Amino acid sequence: MFFQVYHALCPGACELKPRYATLRTLFEPRGEPRQVLDSNAIVLYFPAPKTVTGEDVLELHIHGGSAIVKAVLAAVSKVLTAPRINSRAIRYAEPGEFTRRAFYNNRLDLTQIEALGDSLSAETEQQRRIAVAGTRNTLTERYETWRSQLLYARGELEALIDFSEDQHFEESPRTLIASIASQVEHLRKKLNSSIRNASKGELVRNGIKVALLGAPNAGKSSLLNKIVGRDAAIVSKEAGTTRDVIEVNVDIGGFFCKFGDLAGLREHRHNITKTSRLTDSDEIGEIEKEGIRRAKKWILEADVLIIVLPIERLQSPSAEFSLKVTPQVFQILNECNAERQKFFFAINKVDLLGSEDAVNDAEVRGRIALPLKAMTQTQHGSQCFPISCLDVEARDRRNHAHSDGISELLNALTKSFKTMTTAESFDDNTHSYRASEEESLGASERHLLLLLQCEEHFKDFLHYVTDPQSDPGSGIDYQDMDFVLAAESLRGAADCLAKITGKGESGDVEEVLGVVFEKYVLSIFVGMSRSDRGRFCVGK
């Protein structure tokens, strides 16, 4: 069939040599004289099974002009009515069909297909790295190894169920069950490592949420504009300028980040003395209240917090400079998750201090550090950075000669991102988790959900074969074990791993195929070049 199409477009041409690029002139398949479609096309023939789909493939590499592409596609359509050509044998490929055929012919597995989709959608260096790592088939090999171990353990358990009364085993049932339970527990620890790596991979893939928080007029919007290099947020001396979350996507050190410029945290001043008056800047309208509510929600969901604390000049001669901190900032920090979230304190407007000597002055730093010390007591590992959001000319006018500190802050953020996304593995020698460069973060959210289900099956198995009332020395009471449910738990765990790779005997694998091909392969088809989209699927 391929050669019939080839000879219809290249009449009188020599046969193609497999895997060799050949220069050919493409003609209209009908009509006299035949019209030239492309005088310098490259034609390649790839025989099965060592092709991208595992089937015979004929590729036409033509010039990318839209007129040439349309003419060649139209010519292939005319081949449908040519003599000796079965009109039902040639048709347009359905979206994702090349990849689907590659899957069914064992050229790609589901993890590689998902990694291919990640490669096409990668926008940052770190996204590209985990996508490329996912195409190397290491995840599939690991999951298949685990599944084989589970099938072997299940076979031992079912043999014990069927033949324990009729056959003599080399090991006692108690010893055999203890051995299987030990293997499953060891496998569960490795599974937990993969679950954590999958969560880190999703962080790289979906973006690290970075929240800019602080009091009104702290300089959050100015800092955001300095980081992204453009006026992404409105900057004004008026308090409460930012009413809603301004979300900006930024590439920081190869990491995809979602920066959120949030409304300033403050409260409406209710207590007014006779000698004071409530100004317009003190009032909070309903819109700003909603903005503050959304800001607090965004802060609690963020992965990294940058707390912007401005230096302000005081009228008192005994304390010329102070750090502006509102009680609302203290309150929201106490509600944050210090174990999951990372904290960075940006001491803004250090240009008010003037020269670098003033910044390093012990008395000045002492006044600034007092409120900061109280804030960082619960945020272990937090870091502080003096910054200025003014440009060079404005800093020079204030005799502030040293750098603005933004690059130092970004470098610290990048190091923190690397720590947050470093893969880990379970060390069999030390029986502990450690950082590992060889581990992959390529597992997707679909993998993560199935790994979590697999872990639940492991827990069920260990529950069925472990009796807490038994002798602590053995930990197992053979008489009270439910072997049938334990074996079913191992089957469920193996099925979860089979769903990830699309391999194995599980009948449930088909359930995930439609979701995977729709979600990932459609994006692959859309991302092809114009000449790739013009490919036809030729076959039965």
Side-chain angles (χ1 to χ4, degrees):
M1 179 59 63
F2 288 95
F3 290 108
Q4 290 175 325
V5 174
Y6 164 68
H7 287 302
L9 297 178
C10 306
C14 299
E15 296 293 337
L16 293 173
K17 188 177 181 180
R19 306 185 187 283
Y20 274 79
T22 306
L23 185 66
R24 288 287 183 264
T25 299
L26 302 184
F27 294 89
E28 282 277 1
R30 294 183 300 169
E32 291 294 340
R34 292 194 175 187
Q35 181 182 357
V36 176
L37 302 176
D38 193 344
S39 59
N40 291 285
I42 302 295
V43 182
L44 297 98
Y45 166 60
F46 298 93
K50 295 183 178 181
T51 66
V52 64
T53 62
E55 303 171 346
D56 290 338
V57 174
L58 178 68
E59 292 188 357
L60 305 177
H61 293 253
I62 61 177
H63 291 88
S66 58
I68 295 179
V69 173
K70 291 179 181 178
V72 173
L73 292 178
V76 176
S77 300
K78 295 177 183 179
V79 175
L80 300 177
T81 59
R84 300 187 305 275
I85 297 294
N86 185 356
S87 62
R88 292 178 298 178
I90 302 177
R91 59 176 174 82
Y92 279 103
E94 297 177 358
E97 185 166 356
F98 282 93
T99 310
R100 181 183 288 271
R101 292 192 176 205
F103 171 77
Y104 283 125
N105 292 321
N106 293 321
R107 299 298 297 172
L108 294 173
D109 57 54
L110 292 184
T111 60
Q112 291 174 308
I113 292 172
E114 290 168 318
L116 180 58
D118 291 338
S119 298
L120 294 174
S121 61
E123 296 181 355
T124 67
E125 175 62 17
Q126 297 301 324
Q127 289 176 334
R128 183 196 65 81
R129 288 186 178 184
I130 66 171
V132 171
T135 62
R136 292 201 294 261
N137 208 29
T138 55
L139 288 176
T140 297
E141 293 175 353
R142 176 181 305 155
Y143 297 147
E144 282 299 294
T145 300
W146 292 352
R147 194 177 69 87
S148 298
Q149 294 174 358
L150 290 175
L151 293 178
Y152 180 79
R154 180 186 170 191
E156 288 185 314
L157 192 59
E158 291 186 349
L160 184 63
I161 296 173
D162 296 334
F163 308 112
S164 60
E165 298 180 357
D166 303 326
Q167 301 292 332
H168 175 71
F169 291 90
E170 295 181 357
E171 298 176 312
S172 66
R174 184 189 300 274
T175 303
L176 182 60
I177 292 299
S179 175
I180 296 175
S182 176
Q183 295 174 30
V184 172
E185 177 61 30
H186 181 72
L187 193 57
R188 187 172 73 91
K189 293 178 180 178
K190 291 187 175 181
L191 184 75
N192 288 333
S193 176
S194 291
I195 289 175
R196 284 195 281 267
N197 288 340
S199 300
K200 295 177 180 180
E202 284 299 293
L203 199 62
V204 175
R205 194 175 292 108
N206 297 330
I208 302 173
K209 294 185 68 173
V210 182
L212 299 174
L213 66 109
N217 280 345
K220 302 181 295 298
S221 298
S222 299
L223 177 57
L224 176 66
N225 292 342
K226 292 282 286 187
I227 291 175
V228 302
R230 59 184 178 87
D231 292 335
I234 299 176
V235 177
S236 172
K237 294 182 179 180
E238 180 182 346
T241 303
T242 303
R243 304 295 181 89
D244 202 353
V245 178
I246 299 177
E247 187 172 319
V248 182
N249 297 335
V250 190
D251 183 345
I252 302 294
F255 292 91
F256 176 49
C257 302
K258 298 178 180 179
F259 275 78
D261 181 20
L262 312 177
L265 302 180
R266 62 171 178 166
E267 287 185 350
H268 183 82
R269 296 184 182 179
H270 296 286
N271 300 324
I272 307 298
T273 62
K274 294 182 180 180
T275 59
S276 63
R277 185 178 62 179
L278 189 67
T279 64
D280 292 338
S281 62
D282 295 324
E283 295 189 20
I284 299 180
E286 294 300 322
I287 297 179
E288 187 175 354
K289 288 181 181 179
E290 175 63 20
I292 293 175
R293 186 194 68 79
R294 295 185 182 186
K296 291 180 177 180
K297 182 176 182 294
W298 219 89
I299 291 170
L300 297 178
E301 295 175 352
D303 304 299
V304 176
L305 304 180
I306 300 180
I307 302 94
V308 183
L309 304 174
I311 294 175
E312 60 181 1
R313 186 188 299 271
L314 301 179
Q315 299 299 325
S316 172
S318 61
E320 185 179 359
F321 296 101
S322 178
L323 202 61
K324 181 181 179 181
V325 184
T326 62
Q328 291 72 38
V329 175
F330 274 105
Q331 180 181 354
I332 194 63
L333 288 180
N334 290 330
E335 298 177 13
C336 292
N337 187 338
E339 294 183 359
R340 181 183 66 84
Q341 297 173 304
K342 305 297 181 182
F343 299 83
F344 294 85
F345 291 87
I347 311 303
N348 192 24
K349 304 181 182 180
V350 293
D351 48 87
L352 290 175
L353 300 178
S355 66
E356 186 172 355
D357 294 335
V359 177
N360 295 325
D361 182 80
E363 182 181 355
V364 174
R365 286 189 288 108
R367 289 198 297 268
I368 295 176
L370 286 177
L372 193 60
K373 182 178 180 181
M375 299 182 70
T376 57
Q377 286 180 350
T378 58
Q379 283 74 45
H380 301 290
S382 59
Q383 303 179 57
C384 303
F385 297 89
I387 65 169
S388 173
C389 295
L390 296 180
D391 54 27
V392 178
E393 293 77 8
R395 294 202 307 273
D396 289 341
R397 288 195 295 269
R398 292 188 176 182
N399 195 26
H400 186 80
H402 59 293
S403 68
D404 57 10
I406 305 296
S407 60
E408 289 80 0
L409 174 61
L410 294 180
N411 290 335
L413 286 174
T414 303
K415 291 181 181 179
S416 180
F417 296 158
K418 290 180 180 178
T419 302
M420 295 166 58
T421 58
T422 298
E424 63 180 43
S425 64
F426 181 74
D427 193 328
D428 294 331
N429 296 324
T430 62
H431 299 284
S432 61
Y433 298 99
R434 61 177 179 83
S436 174
E437 295 291 339
E438 299 177 355
E439 290 295 313
S440 172
L441 300 178
S444 66
E445 183 179 5
R446 185 182 70 86
H447 301 180
L448 177 59
L449 295 176
L450 288 170
L451 290 174
L452 291 173
Q453 293 179 22
C454 185
E455 183 186 27
E456 290 299 319
H457 288 299
F458 283 165
K459 291 179 180 178
D460 292 341
F461 169 82
L462 295 173
H463 170 74
Y464 292 135
V465 301
T466 304
D467 180 14
Q469 304 298 328
S470 62
D471 180 10
S474 64
I476 297 175
D477 189 345
Y478 174 72
Q479 301 296 330
D480 294 338
M481 296 176 189
D482 194 327
F483 295 146
V484 175
L485 292 179
E488 185 65 17
S489 297
L490 293 183
R491 185 199 67 79
D495 283 352
C496 289
L497 297 177
K499 287 181 180 181
I500 295 178
T501 62
K503 297 182 178 181
E505 299 298 328
S506 173
D508 297 331
V509 171
E510 289 291 337
E511 296 179 1
V512 300
L513 293 184
V515 176
V516 171
F517 285 122
E518 178 182 353
K519 181 178 180 181
Y520 293 97
V521 181
L522 280 177
S523 65
I524 295 173
F525 185 79
V526 172
M528 288 180 175
S529 65
R530 287 181 294 181
S531 60
D532 288 331
R533 290 199 296 268
R535 286 181 177 177
F536 281 81
C537 178
V538 182
K540 295 182 179 179

